Every structure is written in structure tokens, then in C-alpha cells.
């Protein structure tokens, strides 16, 4: 895929999928602008690929607005926005505290909301663009121990549809991606919670028709498809990339 001359803003580039996205888009010729709360890893990751880095907490609207403004100031316009940053707290509904809920909704729902809002504002000025929100299969199906996370990811799909409907006639496409398990630090942390992390990983992998979880690169390539002209008649959609997990009824 060719993103030569395009500006691509990505949140959460210090780790996992965000880092993979920054690498893939850079290799495809894009000018990548990454942000994260983790400054050390973010700066290291972005300088290694010649991309720009900014410290941003996506749960704070003013910081997201400043991030988008700095991309426009540097490149003239924002072509692609990928709202990827997220956190996870493993907790069932009945034990979820208000503080835990605020944190998850702040980063995982308000973050993509602010990212979509300010990308739209910038794109309306320059004739359009593409926004990709990283949701999850947990916006479609459930894990009882991730109640707040599921609520936030379902919300991301709702905001994706609302923005797609409202701005479709102004050259802005807004889509979401719903990955299954991806081999990133977020998932490794989850396996580490078990007495035998290796056995936990094997039992998760066995659930997949493809008998493995996804790589960050595989998800990044699907995001690039949604951000590219190859998906030019798609908007408001939730692209499931999960090795067949959610279509397997046994
Ligand atoms: N890993 C999976 O199995 C999986 C599955 C489905 C969806 N996802 C989604 O993919 C995306 C990336 O997940 P990942 O696995 O790479 O996670 P990760 O934990 O490896 O990376 C998330 C990044 O977001 C950053 N971040 C956290 N809070 C932030 C904030 N307030 N402001 C800015 N940056 C912040 C972190 O510092 C980190 O660099 C997330 O939206 C996640 O929900 C992941």
C-alpha cells in the first residue's frame, strides 16, 4: 500500500499495535506523527523510524486537539487518524469501582471520541480524510471480567457510526477495526495473571479456528486497508480481524 505524502497520526505508539502501525505506515511512505503518555518508549520508537513524537494523554481533550493541530501545522493537513491508545482493567461488573470505570472510559472511549472529533474538524478544512478507530471483538461479544472495557469498545463502534453518517458527504470516512487477541504487551500482561501463563496462552490459542492469536503486523495491515483507497466505499463499518474466533459457534 502506498501512503506517500500522506500524514498519519497514531495514538498509543509506545507499545504493541500502535508501534507496529507506525512502522507499517512509515514503510508505506507516510509521514507518521505518533503520541503516547509513555514518553521514553514513544520517543525511542518514533526516532528509530524517523517519525515525530508528542506526549499526549488521549483522555484530555486539549491535549488531543493540540496533537492534531501540530500535525496540521507541520504537514498542512491531516490525512489519516488512527485512534489506537487504550488501557485494560480486568474486573467483573459488580466489583468495578467508579475510579476504574472513569479510567477505562477516559482513555478507551473519550480518547477515540476526542481523536475523531478533532480529526474531523481538521479534515473538514482540507477536503476530507480517513479515521480508523481501534475497537475490539469485545465491542461485539463479551468477556465477563472486562465489563468496563467491553462498554468502552461498544461505545467506540457507536461513535464510529455516528461520525461516518454525519460527515460522509464531506469526504471523511470513519471505520473501526475489531481485533481478536493480538500478541502485544496488553495480552502478555493478561496471560501473566495466571499461575501458568504459558498454559493460559495455549488454551486461548486453542479456541481460535486458526489455532493462534494475531500478530500486530496483521492488524496494522487491516487498519491500513481501512485508511486506504482500497476501502473507498466503506464507512461506519467494524472490520473483524480475529482468525475466525467470533464466527465459530463450537
Ligand atoms: N492486544 C490485544 O489482544 C487487543 C485485542 C483487541 C483490541 N486491542 C486494542 O488494540 C489497541 C492497542 O492495544 P495494544 O495491545 O497494542 O496495547 P498496549 O498496552 O501494548 O499499547 C497501548 C498503548 O497506549 C498507550 N496509552 C495508554 N493510555 C494512554 C493515554 N491516556 N494517552 C495516550 N496513550 C496511552 C500506552 O502507553 C501504550 O503505549 C487498543 O485499542 C486495544 O484495546 C488489543
Amino acid at each position: 500500500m502506498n501512503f506517500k505524502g500522506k500524514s498519519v497520526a497514531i495514538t498509543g505508539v509506545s507499545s504493541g499495535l500502535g508501534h507496529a502501525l507506525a512502522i507499517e505506515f512509515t514503510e508505506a511512505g507516510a509521514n507518521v506523527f505518533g503520541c503516547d503518555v509513555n514518553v521514553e518508549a514513544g520517543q525511542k520508537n518514533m526516532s528509530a523510524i524517523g517519525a515525530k513524537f508528542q506526549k499526549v494523554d488521549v483522555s484530555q481533550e486539549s491535549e488531543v486537539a493540540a496533537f492534531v493541530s501540530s500535525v496540521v501545522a507541520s504537514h498542512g493537513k491531516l490525512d489519516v487518524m488512527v485512534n489506537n491508545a487504550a488501557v485494560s482493567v480486568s474486573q467483573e461488573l459488580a466489583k468495578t469501582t467508579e475510579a476504574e470505570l472513569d479510567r477505562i472510559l477516559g482513555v478507551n472511549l473519550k480518547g477515540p471520541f476526542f481523536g475523531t472529533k478533532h480529526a474531523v474538524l481538521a479534515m473538514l478544512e482540507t477536503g476530507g480524510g480517513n479515521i480508523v478507530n481501534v475497537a475490539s471483538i469485545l465491542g461485539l461479544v463479551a468477556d465477563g471480567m472486562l465489563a468496563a472495557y467491553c462498554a468502552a469498545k461498544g461505545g467506540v463502534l457507536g461513535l464510529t457510526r455516528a461520525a461516518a453518517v454525519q460527515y460522509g458527504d464531506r469526504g471523511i470516512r470513519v471505520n473501526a477495526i475489531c481485533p481478536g487477541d493480538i500478541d502485544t504487551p496488553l495480552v502478555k500482561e493478561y496471560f501473566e495473571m495466571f499461575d501458568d501463563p504459558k498454559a493460559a496462552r495455549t488454551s486461548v490459542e486453542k479456541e481460535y479456528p486458526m489455532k493462534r492469536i494475531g500478530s500486530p503486523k496483521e492488524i496494522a495491515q487491516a487498519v491500513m486497508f481501512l485508511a486506504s483507497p482500497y476501502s473507498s466505499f466503506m464507512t461506519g463499518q467494524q472490520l473483524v480481524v480475529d482468525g475466525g474466533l467470533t464466527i465459530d459457534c463450537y
Side-chain angles (χ1 to χ4, degrees):
M1 260 177 256
N2 186 356
F3 284 87
K4 216 166 176 201
K6 302 285 183 196
S7 59
V8 178
I10 306 166
T11 69
V13 294
S14 298
S15 174
L17 178 59
H19 185 202
L21 281 162
I23 293 170
E24 291 298 314
F25 273 111
T26 300
E27 284 178 0
N31 294 311
V32 169
F33 299 78
C35 75
D36 205 290
V37 279
N38 181 342
V39 176
E40 202 183 325
Q43 264 166 353
K44 188 167 162 244
N45 290 348
M46 293 306 96
S47 73
I49 55 172
K52 291 208 169 67
F53 177 78
Q54 197 169 320
K55 181 182 185 289
V56 173
D57 177 349
V58 296
S59 67
Q60 304 300 311
E61 181 168 14
S62 58
E63 296 189 26
V64 177
F67 176 51
V68 170
S69 294
S70 74
V71 176
V72 175
S74 164
H75 189 82
K77 64 188 174 95
L78 173 64
D79 293 300
V80 176
M81 176 87 195
V82 185
N83 294 302
N84 163 76
V87 289
S88 177
V89 171
S90 190
Q91 190 57 277
E92 67 179 84
L93 175 78
K95 291 182 184 164
T96 302
T97 64
E98 189 173 1
E100 284 169 338
L101 180 63
D102 284 345
R103 176 157 181 262
I104 294 283
L105 295 185
V107 180
N108 298 13
L109 181 55
K110 285 170 79 177
F113 195 100
F114 297 145
T116 302
K117 174 181 168 182
H118 289 281
V120 161
L121 286 168
M123 290 169 182
L124 285 173
E125 297 292 314
T126 52
N130 273 300
I131 300 167
V132 183
N133 290 322
V134 180
S136 168
I137 54 168
L138 293 181
L140 304 168
V141 295
D143 178 333
M145 284 303 291
L146 290 169
Y149 184 90
C150 290
K153 292 299 186 180
V156 169
L157 299 178
L159 95 87
T160 299
R161 288 188 287 266
V165 166
Q166 187 67 12
Y167 304 109
D169 63 348
R170 275 161 285 174
I172 300 173
R173 294 194 296 115
V174 191
N175 287 291
I177 190 138
C178 295
D181 290 289
I182 322 166
D183 210 347
T184 68
L186 192 84
V187 154
K188 281 175 192 141
E189 247 173 56
Y190 171 77
F191 292 141
E192 291 301 327
M193 289 181 348
F194 293 85
D195 293 338
D196 184 348
K198 206 171 161 210
R201 184 189 173 102
T202 306
S203 88
V204 166
E205 285 173 338
K206 270 187 5 209
E207 297 298 322
Y208 279 75
M210 293 177 73
K211 303 300 169 207
R212 65 176 179 86
I213 63 174
S215 73
K217 184 172 175 149
E218 286 173 310
I219 310 302
Q221 287 172 343
V223 170
M224 291 171 84
F225 163 70
L226 290 177
S228 80
Y230 289 107
S231 60
S232 56
F233 198 46
M234 286 177 72
T235 197
Q237 296 305 303
Q238 47 209 33
L239 183 61
V240 176
V241 186
D242 70 348
L245 181 70
T246 53
I247 48 87
D248 184 0
C249 68
Y250 296 107

